[in-house]
Amino acid sequence: MFADAWNQRLEQATQAAETLQRKLGEIETKIGDLLERILDVSNPRVISAYENKIAELERQKLLTQDQVEQSKTTNTHSRSRSNSPVDSWLILMSFGKIMT
């Protein structure tokens, strides 16, 4: 029962990491598209608006990269502790034996 719940949580974490990677790719594509548009525009106000949008996308990109790194750390830690619920149960059982 614990192992099934643990595996389900690992699967959810993997899916979340994949979603973050897709989001990161989408942000990079948007930034590239805006840079292309800047090259085609001569109006300073439009260029400024594009630059502001790029700056916002860069902030989103940094946040998403941080989330990706956190999810990698969490997934690595979770996978290395795949028996953790069982181990915790065994520790509690051992503690109970000591106290009796």
Side-chain angles (χ1 to χ4, degrees), residues 15-77:
Q15 289 174 355
E18 291 170 358
T19 299
L20 288 171
Q21 286 289 356
R22 276 193 303 275
K23 182 179 178 182
L24 193 56
E26 291 169 2
I27 290 170
E28 290 173 349
T29 300
K30 288 178 184 178
I31 290 171
D33 291 345
L34 288 171
L35 289 172
E36 296 265 337
R37 288 183 193 174
I38 286 176
L39 296 174
D40 296 335
V41 174
S42 59
N43 186 333
R45 287 186 184 188
V46 175
I47 291 173
S48 178
Y50 284 154
E51 289 172 341
N52 290 337
K53 182 63 177 172
I54 289 170
E56 175 59 31
L57 288 170
E58 288 289 347
R59 282 190 289 275
Q60 288 179 9
K61 181 179 170 182
L62 289 174
L63 289 172
T64 304
Q65 286 173 333
D66 285 344
Q67 291 172 337
V68 167
E69 288 303 314
Q70 288 175 357
S71 73
K72 285 180 183 177
T73 303
T74 302
N75 285 347
T76 302
H77 180 69

